[in-house]
Structures are given as C-alpha cells and as structure tokens.
Amino acid sequence: MSAPWTFRSVVPTSAVPPGSTQIVTLHGLQSASGQITGLELLASSNIALNQSALEMASNSSARELSDDLEPGATPQSHEILYNVVFVPAQK
C-alpha cells in the first residue's frame, strides 16, 4: 500500500488574528478523476474554521494524475491528507 498523498492549501482569512496561523487537517480519498471525497476531520487548531476547510477541500480538484502515470497505466484512487493552513488576510 502506498503512503497517502499530502496536499496543502494556504487560505488568507480575516478570521485569523495577525501573527498567527491556524491549521485544519483532513483525510479523504482522491478518485482517479481527481475528485476529493469521503473527507473527515483529523485535527484542528480552531474549530470555527473546520466547516470552511471541509467545504474548500470538497470543492477543490486535486492535481491531474496523468503526470504520475506510466504509459498504458490506469489512473487509480489515492488516500490523501489535506492540510488547510489559514493565515491572516493582508489589509
């Protein structure tokens, strides 16, 4: 079994005070077409950001898998860890 793929998104938001960073870590599956499904919360430094992280990750499409394929190989689903890093919005 291969290790989970790790994705990270940095999201500026006014919900994070200046000088701090908040992280939400999600676990899920990426289908062969790139769709992220089955998301579940693993860890969070701020529960107020959990729903935003889940919505952002479920609406995103992960990178194309074709770059990782050998010629003639069939795309596969992958287990993923998705880290959403919330940073202060620039004013």
Side-chain angles (χ1 to χ4, degrees):
M1 190 169 182
S2 63
W5 287 4
T6 303
F7 297 97
R8 184 178 78 164
S9 292
V10 177
V11 180
T13 179
S14 60
V16 175
S20 69
T21 299
Q22 302 293 317
I23 300 172
V24 178
T25 301
L26 306 169
H27 172 262
L29 297 173
Q30 177 184 335
S31 69
S33 65
Q35 183 70 26
I36 296 175
T37 61
L39 288 169
E40 61 183 347
L41 178 69
L42 290 183
S44 175
S45 60
N46 183 340
I47 62 171
L49 298 171
N50 292 354
Q51 189 60 37
S52 294
L54 286 164
E55 289 172 3
M56 192 205 71
S58 66
N59 291 327
S60 69
S61 178
R63 67 184 175 131
E64 291 292 325
L65 297 175
S66 59
D67 296 340
D68 296 333
L69 292 178
E70 293 182 24
T74 302
Q76 302 292 313
S77 296
H78 292 275
E79 180 181 19
I80 64 165
L81 295 175
Y82 202 119
N83 295 310
V84 183
V85 181
F86 293 93
V87 297
Q90 299 293 324
K91 293 183 180 184

Coordinates of all heavy atoms in Angstrom, one line a residue:
M1 N 0.8 -1.2 0.0 CA 0.0 0.0 0.0 C 0.9 1.2 0.0 O 1.9 1.3 0.7 CB -0.9 0.0 1.2 CG -2.0 1.0 1.2 SD -3.1 0.6 2.6 CE -4.2 1.9 2.3
S2 N 0.6 2.2 -0.8 CA 1.4 3.4 -0.9 C 1.0 4.4 0.2 O -0.1 4.3 0.8 CB 1.2 4.1 -2.3 OG -0.1 4.5 -2.4
A3 N 1.9 5.3 0.5 CA 1.7 6.3 1.5 C 0.6 7.3 1.0 O 0.5 7.5 -0.2 CB 2.9 7.0 1.9
P4 N -0.2 7.9 1.9 CA -1.1 8.9 1.5 C -0.5 10.1 0.8 O 0.6 10.5 1.2 CB -1.8 9.4 2.8 CG -1.4 8.4 3.8 CD -0.2 7.7 3.4
W5 N -1.1 10.6 -0.2 CA -0.6 11.9 -0.8 C -1.0 13.0 0.1 O -2.0 13.0 0.8 CB -1.3 12.1 -2.2 CG -0.8 11.2 -3.2 CD1 0.1 10.1 -3.1 CD2 -1.2 11.2 -4.6 NE1 0.2 9.5 -4.3 CE2 -0.5 10.1 -5.3 CE3 -2.1 12.0 -5.3 CZ2 -0.7 9.9 -6.6 CZ3 -2.3 11.7 -6.7 CH2 -1.6 10.7 -7.3
T6 N -0.1 14.0 0.2 CA -0.4 15.2 1.0 C -0.6 16.4 0.2 O 0.3 16.7 -0.7 CB 0.8 15.4 2.0 OG1 0.9 14.2 2.8 CG2 0.5 16.5 3.0
F7 N -1.6 17.1 0.4 CA -1.9 18.4 -0.2 C -2.0 19.5 0.8 O -2.3 19.2 2.0 CB -3.2 18.3 -1.0 CG -3.3 17.3 -2.1 CD1 -3.8 16.1 -1.9 CD2 -2.8 17.7 -3.3 CE1 -3.9 15.2 -2.9 CE2 -2.8 16.7 -4.3 CZ -3.4 15.5 -4.1
R8 N -1.6 20.7 0.4 CA -1.7 21.8 1.4 C -2.2 23.0 0.6 O -1.8 23.3 -0.5 CB -0.3 22.2 1.9 CG -0.4 23.3 2.9 CD 1.0 23.5 3.5 NE 1.7 24.3 2.5 CZ 2.8 25.0 2.8 NH1 3.3 25.0 4.0 NH2 3.4 25.7 1.9
S9 N -3.2 23.7 1.2 CA -3.7 24.9 0.7 C -3.5 26.0 1.8 O -3.8 25.8 2.9 CB -5.2 24.8 0.4 OG -5.4 24.0 -0.7
V10 N -3.1 27.2 1.3 CA -2.9 28.3 2.2 C -4.0 29.3 1.9 O -4.2 29.7 0.8 CB -1.5 29.0 2.0 CG1 -1.4 30.2 2.9 CG2 -0.4 28.0 2.3
V11 N -4.8 29.6 2.9 CA -6.0 30.4 2.8 C -6.0 31.7 3.6 O -6.0 31.6 4.9 CB -7.3 29.6 3.1 CG1 -8.5 30.4 3.0 CG2 -7.3 28.3 2.4
P12 N -5.9 32.9 3.0 CA -5.9 34.1 3.8 C -7.4 34.3 4.3 O -8.3 34.1 3.5 CB -5.5 35.2 2.8 CG -5.0 34.5 1.6 CD -5.6 33.1 1.6
T13 N -7.5 34.7 5.6 CA -8.8 35.0 6.1 C -8.8 36.0 7.2 O -7.8 36.1 8.0 CB -9.5 33.7 6.6 OG1 -10.8 34.0 7.2 CG2 -8.6 33.0 7.7
S14 N -9.8 36.8 7.4 CA -9.9 37.7 8.5 C -10.2 37.0 9.8 O -10.2 37.7 10.9 CB -10.9 38.8 8.2 OG -12.2 38.2 8.0
A15 N -10.5 35.7 9.8 CA -10.9 35.0 11.0 C -9.6 34.6 11.8 O -9.7 34.2 12.9 CB -11.6 33.7 10.6
V16 N -8.4 34.9 11.2 CA -7.2 34.6 11.9 C -6.5 35.9 12.3 O -6.3 36.7 11.5 CB -6.3 33.7 11.0 CG1 -4.9 33.5 11.7 CG2 -6.9 32.4 10.7
P17 N -6.2 36.0 13.6 CA -5.5 37.3 14.0 C -4.1 37.4 13.5 O -3.5 36.4 13.2 CB -5.5 37.2 15.6 CG -5.8 35.8 15.9 CD -6.4 35.1 14.7
P18 N -3.7 38.6 13.3 CA -2.3 38.9 12.8 C -1.3 38.2 13.6 O -1.4 38.1 14.9 CB -2.1 40.4 12.9 CG -3.5 40.9 12.8 CD -4.4 39.9 13.5
G19 N -0.3 37.6 13.0 CA 0.8 36.9 13.7 C 0.5 35.5 14.1 O 1.3 34.8 14.8
S20 N -0.6 34.9 13.7 CA -0.9 33.5 14.0 C -1.3 32.8 12.7 O -1.5 33.3 11.7 CB -2.1 33.5 15.0 OG -3.3 33.9 14.4
T21 N -1.3 31.5 12.9 CA -1.6 30.5 11.8 C -2.5 29.5 12.4 O -2.3 29.0 13.5 CB -0.4 29.9 11.2 OG1 0.4 30.9 10.6 CG2 -0.8 28.9 10.1
Q22 N -3.6 29.1 11.7 CA -4.5 28.0 12.2 C -4.5 26.9 11.1 O -4.5 27.2 9.9 CB -5.9 28.6 12.3 CG -6.0 29.7 13.3 CD -5.7 29.3 14.7 OE1 -6.1 28.3 15.2 NE2 -4.9 30.1 15.4
I23 N -4.5 25.7 11.5 CA -4.4 24.5 10.6 C -5.5 23.6 10.9 O -5.8 23.2 12.0 CB -3.0 23.8 10.7 CG1 -1.9 24.8 10.4 CG2 -2.9 22.6 9.8 CD1 -0.5 24.3 10.7
V24 N -6.1 23.1 9.8 CA -7.1 22.0 9.8 C -6.6 20.9 8.9 O -6.2 21.1 7.8 CB -8.5 22.5 9.3 CG1 -9.5 21.4 9.3 CG2 -9.0 23.7 10.2
T25 N -6.5 19.7 9.5 CA -6.0 18.5 8.7 C -7.2 17.6 8.5 O -7.9 17.2 9.4 CB -4.9 17.8 9.5 OG1 -3.8 18.7 9.7 CG2 -4.4 16.6 8.7
L26 N -7.3 17.2 7.2 CA -8.4 16.4 6.7 C -7.9 15.1 6.1 O -6.7 15.1 5.6 CB -9.3 17.1 5.7 CG -9.8 18.5 6.1 CD1 -10.4 19.2 4.9 CD2 -10.9 18.3 7.2
H27 N -8.7 14.1 6.1 CA -8.3 12.8 5.5 C -9.4 12.5 4.5 O -10.6 12.7 4.8 CB -8.2 11.7 6.6 CG -8.1 10.3 6.0 ND1 -9.1 9.5 5.9 CD2 -7.0 9.7 5.6 CE1 -8.7 8.3 5.3 NE2 -7.4 8.5 5.1
G28 N -9.1 11.9 3.4 CA -10.1 11.5 2.4 C -9.5 10.7 1.3 O -8.4 10.2 1.4
L29 N -10.3 10.6 0.2 CA -9.9 9.9 -1.0 C -9.9 10.8 -2.2 O -10.8 11.6 -2.3 CB -10.8 8.7 -1.2 CG -10.8 7.6 -0.2 CD1 -11.9 6.6 -0.5 CD2 -9.5 6.9 0.0
Q30 N -9.0 10.6 -3.1 CA -9.0 11.3 -4.4 C -9.3 10.2 -5.4 O -8.5 9.2 -5.5 CB -7.6 11.9 -4.7 CG -7.6 12.6 -6.1 CD -6.3 13.1 -6.4 OE1 -5.5 13.5 -5.6 NE2 -6.0 13.3 -7.7
S31 N -10.3 10.4 -6.2 CA -10.7 9.4 -7.2 C -9.7 9.5 -8.4 O -9.0 10.5 -8.5 CB -12.1 9.7 -7.7 OG -12.2 10.9 -8.4
A32 N -9.8 8.6 -9.3 CA -9.0 8.6 -10.4 C -9.2 9.8 -11.3 O -8.3 10.3 -12.0 CB -9.2 7.3 -11.3
S33 N -10.4 10.4 -11.2 CA -10.7 11.6 -12.0 C -10.2 12.9 -11.3 O -10.3 14.0 -11.8 CB -12.2 11.7 -12.3 OG -12.9 11.9 -11.1
G34 N -9.7 12.8 -10.0 CA -9.2 14.0 -9.3 C -10.2 14.5 -8.3 O -9.8 15.4 -7.5
Q35 N -11.4 14.0 -8.2 CA -12.4 14.5 -7.2 C -12.0 14.0 -5.8 O -11.7 12.8 -5.6 CB -13.8 13.9 -7.6 CG -14.9 14.4 -6.7 CD -15.2 15.8 -6.9 OE1 -14.9 16.4 -8.0 NE2 -15.7 16.5 -5.9
I36 N -12.1 14.9 -4.9 CA -11.8 14.6 -3.5 C -13.2 14.2 -2.8 O -14.1 15.0 -2.8 CB -11.1 15.7 -2.8 CG1 -9.8 15.9 -3.4 CG2 -10.9 15.4 -1.3 CD1 -9.0 17.1 -2.9
T37 N -13.2 13.1 -2.1 CA -14.4 12.6 -1.5 C -14.1 12.0 -0.1 O -12.9 11.7 0.2 CB -15.2 11.5 -2.3 OG1 -14.3 10.4 -2.5 CG2 -15.5 12.1 -3.7
G38 N -15.1 11.7 0.6 CA -15.0 11.0 1.9 C -14.2 11.7 2.9 O -13.5 11.1 3.7
L39 N -14.3 13.1 2.9 CA -13.4 13.9 3.8 C -13.9 13.7 5.3 O -15.1 13.6 5.6 CB -13.5 15.3 3.5 CG -12.8 15.7 2.2 CD1 -13.1 17.1 1.8 CD2 -11.3 15.6 2.4
E40 N -12.9 13.6 6.2 CA -13.1 13.6 7.6 C -12.1 14.4 8.3 O -11.0 14.5 7.8 CB -13.1 12.1 8.1 CG -11.8 11.4 7.9 CD -11.8 10.0 8.4 OE1 -12.7 9.6 9.1 OE2 -10.8 9.3 8.1
L41 N -12.4 15.0 9.4 CA -11.6 15.8 10.2 C -10.6 15.0 11.0 O -11.1 14.1 11.7 CB -12.4 16.7 11.1 CG -11.7 17.7 12.0 CD1 -11.0 18.8 11.2 CD2 -12.6 18.3 13.0
L42 N -9.3 15.3 10.9 CA -8.3 14.6 11.8 C -7.9 15.4 12.9 O -7.7 15.0 14.0 CB -7.1 14.2 10.9 CG -7.3 13.0 9.9 CD1 -6.0 12.7 9.3 CD2 -7.9 11.8 10.6
A43 N -7.6 16.7 12.6 CA -7.1 17.6 13.7 C -7.4 19.0 13.3 O -7.5 19.4 12.1 CB -5.6 17.4 13.8
S44 N -7.5 19.9 14.3 CA -7.8 21.3 14.0 C -7.3 22.1 15.2 O -7.4 21.8 16.4 CB -9.3 21.5 13.9 OG -9.7 22.8 13.8
S45 N -6.7 23.3 14.8 CA -6.3 24.2 15.9 C -7.3 25.3 16.1 O -7.2 26.1 17.1 CB -5.0 24.9 15.4 OG -5.1 25.6 14.2
N46 N -8.4 25.3 15.4 CA -9.5 26.2 15.6 C -10.8 25.6 15.0 O -11.0 25.6 13.8 CB -9.2 27.6 14.9 CG -10.2 28.6 15.1 OD1 -11.4 28.4 15.5 ND2 -9.8 29.9 14.9
I47 N -11.7 25.2 15.9 CA -12.9 24.5 15.4 C -13.8 25.4 14.6 O -14.6 24.9 13.8 CB -13.7 23.9 16.5 CG1 -14.2 24.9 17.5 CG2 -12.9 22.8 17.2 CD1 -15.1 24.4 18.6
A48 N -13.7 26.7 14.7 CA -14.5 27.6 13.9 C -14.2 27.6 12.5 O -15.0 28.0 11.6 CB -14.3 29.1 14.5
L49 N -13.0 27.1 12.1 CA -12.6 27.0 10.7 C -12.8 25.6 10.1 O -12.6 25.5 8.9 CB -11.1 27.4 10.6 CG -10.7 28.8 11.1 CD1 -9.2 29.0 11.1 CD2 -11.4 29.8 10.1
N50 N -13.3 24.7 10.8 CA -13.5 23.3 10.3 C -14.4 23.2 9.1 O -14.1 22.6 8.1 CB -14.0 22.4 11.4 CG -13.0 22.1 12.5 OD1 -11.8 22.6 12.4 ND2 -13.4 21.5 13.6
Q51 N -15.5 23.8 9.2 CA -16.5 23.8 8.1 C -16.0 24.4 6.8 O -16.1 23.9 5.8 CB -17.8 24.4 8.5 CG -18.9 24.2 7.5 CD -19.2 22.7 7.3 OE1 -19.2 21.9 8.2 NE2 -19.5 22.3 6.0
S52 N -15.3 25.6 7.0 CA -14.7 26.2 5.8 C -13.6 25.3 5.2 O -13.6 25.2 4.0 CB -14.0 27.5 6.3 OG -14.9 28.5 6.7
A53 N -12.8 24.6 6.0 CA -11.8 23.7 5.4 C -12.5 22.6 4.7 O -12.0 22.2 3.6 CB -10.9 23.2 6.6
L54 N -13.5 22.0 5.3 CA -14.2 20.9 4.6 C -14.8 21.3 3.3 O -14.7 20.6 2.3 CB -15.3 20.3 5.6 CG -14.8 19.5 6.7 CD1 -15.8 19.3 7.8 CD2 -14.3 18.1 6.2
E55 N -15.5 22.5 3.3 CA -16.1 22.9 2.1 C -15.0 23.3 1.0 O -15.2 22.9 -0.2 CB -16.9 24.2 2.3 CG -18.2 23.9 3.1 CD -18.9 25.1 3.6 OE1 -18.5 26.3 3.2 OE2 -19.9 25.0 4.3
M56 N -13.9 23.9 1.4 CA -12.9 24.2 0.4 C -12.3 23.0 -0.2 O -12.1 22.9 -1.4 CB -11.8 25.1 1.1 CG -10.9 25.7 0.1 SD -9.3 26.0 0.8 CE -8.7 24.4 1.0
A57 N -12.0 22.0 0.7 CA -11.4 20.8 0.2 C -12.3 20.0 -0.7 O -11.9 19.5 -1.8 CB -10.9 19.9 1.3
S58 N -13.6 19.9 -0.3 CA -14.5 19.1 -1.1 C -14.8 19.8 -2.5 O -15.2 19.1 -3.4 CB -15.8 18.8 -0.4 OG -16.5 20.0 -0.1
N59 N -14.7 21.1 -2.6 CA -14.9 21.8 -3.8 C -13.7 21.9 -4.7 O -13.8 22.4 -5.8 CB -15.5 23.2 -3.6 CG -16.9 23.1 -3.0 OD1 -17.7 22.3 -3.3 ND2 -17.2 24.1 -2.1
S60 N -12.6 21.4 -4.2 CA -11.3 21.6 -5.0 C -11.2 20.3 -5.8 O -11.7 19.2 -5.5 CB -10.1 21.8 -4.1 OG -9.9 20.6 -3.3
S61 N -10.4 20.4 -6.8 CA -10.0 19.3 -7.6 C -8.5 19.1 -7.5 O -7.8 20.1 -7.8 CB -10.4 19.5 -9.1 OG -10.0 18.4 -9.9
A62 N -8.1 18.0 -7.1 CA -6.6 17.8 -6.9 C -5.9 17.7 -8.2 O -6.5 17.6 -9.3 CB -6.4 16.5 -6.1
R63 N -4.6 17.8 -8.1 CA -3.8 17.8 -9.4 C -4.1 16.6 -10.3 O -4.6 15.6 -9.8 CB -2.3 17.9 -9.0 CG -1.8 16.6 -8.4 CD -0.4 16.8 -8.0 NE 0.0 15.6 -7.3 CZ 1.1 14.9 -7.5 NH1 1.9 15.3 -8.5 NH2 1.4 13.8 -6.8
E64 N -3.8 16.8 -11.5 CA -4.1 15.8 -12.5 C -3.2 14.6 -12.2 O -2.0 14.7 -11.9 CB -3.7 16.3 -13.9 CG -4.7 17.3 -14.4 CD -6.1 16.7 -14.7 OE1 -6.2 15.6 -15.1 OE2 -7.1 17.4 -14.4
L65 N -3.7 13.4 -12.4 CA -3.0 12.2 -12.1 C -2.1 11.7 -13.3 O -1.2 10.9 -13.1 CB -3.9 11.0 -11.7 CG -4.7 11.3 -10.4 CD1 -5.7 10.1 -10.2 CD2 -3.8 11.3 -9.3
S66 N -2.5 12.2 -14.5 CA -1.8 11.7 -15.7 C -0.3 12.0 -15.6 O 0.4 11.2 -16.3 CB -2.4 12.4 -16.9 OG -2.3 13.8 -16.8
D67 N 0.2 13.0 -14.9 CA 1.6 13.2 -14.8 C 2.3 12.1 -14.1 O 3.5 11.9 -14.3 CB 1.9 14.5 -14.1 CG 1.3 15.7 -14.8 OD1 1.1 15.6 -16.1 OD2 1.1 16.8 -14.2
D68 N 1.6 11.4 -13.2 CA 2.2 10.3 -12.4 C 2.1 8.9 -13.1 O 2.6 8.0 -12.5 CB 1.6 10.3 -11.1 CG 1.8 11.5 -10.3 OD1 2.8 12.2 -10.5 OD2 1.0 11.9 -9.4
L69 N 1.4 8.8 -14.2 CA 1.2 7.5 -14.8 C 2.3 7.1 -15.7 O 2.8 7.9 -16.5 CB -0.1 7.6 -15.6 CG -1.4 7.7 -14.8 CD1 -2.6 7.7 -15.7 CD2 -1.6 6.5 -13.8
E70 N 2.6 5.8 -15.7 CA 3.4 5.3 -16.7 C 2.6 5.0 -17.9 O 1.4 4.8 -17.8 CB 4.0 3.9 -16.2 CG 5.0 4.2 -15.0 CD 5.6 2.8 -14.5 OE1 5.7 1.9 -15.3 OE2 6.0 2.8 -13.4
P71 N 3.2 5.0 -19.1 CA 2.4 4.7 -20.3 C 1.6 3.4 -20.2 O 2.1 2.4 -19.8 CB 3.5 4.6 -21.4 CG 4.6 5.4 -20.9 CD 4.6 5.2 -19.4
G72 N 0.3 3.5 -20.5 CA -0.5 2.4 -20.5 C -1.2 2.0 -19.1 O -2.0 1.2 -19.0
A73 N -0.8 2.8 -18.1 CA -1.3 2.5 -16.8 C -2.7 3.2 -16.6 O -3.0 4.2 -17.2 CB -0.4 3.1 -15.7
T74 N -3.5 2.6 -15.8 CA -4.8 3.1 -15.5 C -4.8 4.0 -14.2 O -4.2 3.6 -13.2 CB -5.8 1.9 -15.2 OG1 -5.8 1.1 -16.3 CG2 -7.2 2.4 -14.9
P75 N -5.4 5.2 -14.3 CA -5.4 6.0 -13.1 C -6.1 5.3 -11.9 O -7.0 4.5 -12.1 CB -6.3 7.2 -13.5 CG -6.3 7.2 -15.0 CD -6.1 5.8 -15.4
Q76 N -5.6 5.6 -10.7 CA -6.0 4.9 -9.5 C -6.5 5.9 -8.5 O -6.1 7.1 -8.5 CB -4.9 4.1 -8.9 CG -4.3 3.0 -9.8 CD -5.3 1.9 -10.1 OE1 -5.9 1.4 -9.1 NE2 -5.4 1.5 -11.3
S77 N -7.3 5.5 -7.6 CA -7.7 6.4 -6.4 C -6.6 6.4 -5.4 O -5.8 5.4 -5.4 CB -9.0 5.8 -5.8 OG -10.0 5.9 -6.7
H78 N -6.5 7.4 -4.6 CA -5.4 7.5 -3.6 C -6.0 8.1 -2.3 O -6.9 8.9 -2.3 CB -4.3 8.5 -4.1 CG -3.6 8.0 -5.3 ND1 -2.5 7.1 -5.1 CD2 -3.7 8.2 -6.6 CE1 -2.0 6.8 -6.3 NE2 -2.7 7.4 -7.2
E79 N -5.5 7.6 -1.2 CA -5.7 8.1 0.1 C -5.0 9.5 0.2 O -3.9 9.6 -0.3 CB -5.3 7.2 1.2 CG -5.5 7.7 2.6 CD -5.0 6.7 3.6 OE1 -4.1 5.8 3.3 OE2 -5.4 6.8 4.7
I80 N -5.6 10.5 0.8 CA -5.0 11.8 0.9 C -5.1 12.4 2.3 O -6.0 12.0 3.0 CB -5.6 12.8 -0.1 CG1 -7.0 13.1 0.2 CG2 -5.4 12.4 -1.6 CD1 -7.6 14.4 -0.5
L81 N -4.1 13.2 2.6 CA -4.1 14.1 3.8 C -4.2 15.5 3.2 O -3.3 15.8 2.4 CB -2.9 13.9 4.7 CG -2.9 12.5 5.3 CD1 -1.5 12.4 6.1 CD2 -4.0 12.3 6.3
Y82 N -5.1 16.3 3.6 CA -5.3 17.6 3.1 C -5.1 18.6 4.3 O -5.9 18.6 5.2 CB -6.6 17.8 2.5 CG -6.8 18.9 1.5 CD1 -7.1 18.6 0.2 CD2 -6.6 20.2 1.9 CE1 -7.3 19.6 -0.8 CE2 -6.8 21.2 0.9 CZ -7.1 20.9 -0.3 OH -7.2 21.9 -1.3
N83 N -4.1 19.4 4.2 CA -3.8 20.4 5.3 C -4.3 21.8 4.7 O -3.8 22.2 3.7 CB -2.3 20.5 5.6 CG -1.9 19.2 6.3 OD1 -2.5 18.7 7.2 ND2 -0.8 18.6 5.8
V84 N -5.2 22.4 5.5 CA -5.6 23.7 5.1 C -5.0 24.7 6.1 O -5.3 24.5 7.3 CB -7.2 23.8 5.1 CG1 -7.6 25.2 4.7 CG2 -7.8 22.8 4.2
V85 N -4.2 25.6 5.7 CA -3.5 26.5 6.5 C -4.1 27.9 6.4 O -4.1 28.5 5.3 CB -2.0 26.6 6.2 CG1 -1.2 27.5 7.1 CG2 -1.3 25.2 6.2
F86 N -4.7 28.3 7.5 CA -5.4 29.6 7.5 C -4.4 30.7 8.0 O -3.9 30.5 9.1 CB -6.7 29.6 8.3 CG -7.8 28.7 7.7 CD1 -7.9 27.4 8.1 CD2 -8.6 29.3 6.8 CE1 -8.9 26.6 7.6 CE2 -9.6 28.5 6.3 CZ -9.8 27.2 6.7
V87 N -4.2 31.7 7.2 CA -3.3 32.8 7.6 C -4.0 34.1 7.6 O -5.1 34.2 7.0 CB -2.1 32.9 6.7 CG1 -1.2 31.6 6.7 CG2 -2.5 33.2 5.2
P88 N -3.5 35.1 8.3 CA -4.2 36.4 8.4 C -4.3 37.0 7.0 O -3.3 36.9 6.2 CB -3.3 37.3 9.3 CG -2.5 36.3 10.0 CD -2.3 35.1 9.2
A89 N -5.4 37.6 6.7 CA -5.6 38.3 5.4 C -4.8 39.6 5.4 O -4.7 40.3 6.4 CB -7.1 38.6 5.2
Q90 N -4.2 39.9 4.2 CA -3.4 41.1 4.1 C -4.4 42.3 4.0 O -5.4 42.2 3.3 CB -2.6 41.1 2.9 CG -1.5 40.0 2.9 CD -0.5 40.2 4.0 OE1 -0.1 41.4 4.3 NE2 0.0 39.1 4.6
K91 N -4.2 43.4 4.7 CA -5.1 44.5 4.6 C -4.6 45.6 3.7 O -3.5 45.7 3.3 CB -5.3 45.1 6.0 CG -6.0 44.2 6.9 CD -6.2 44.8 8.2 CE -7.0 43.8 9.1 NZ -7.3 44.3 10.4

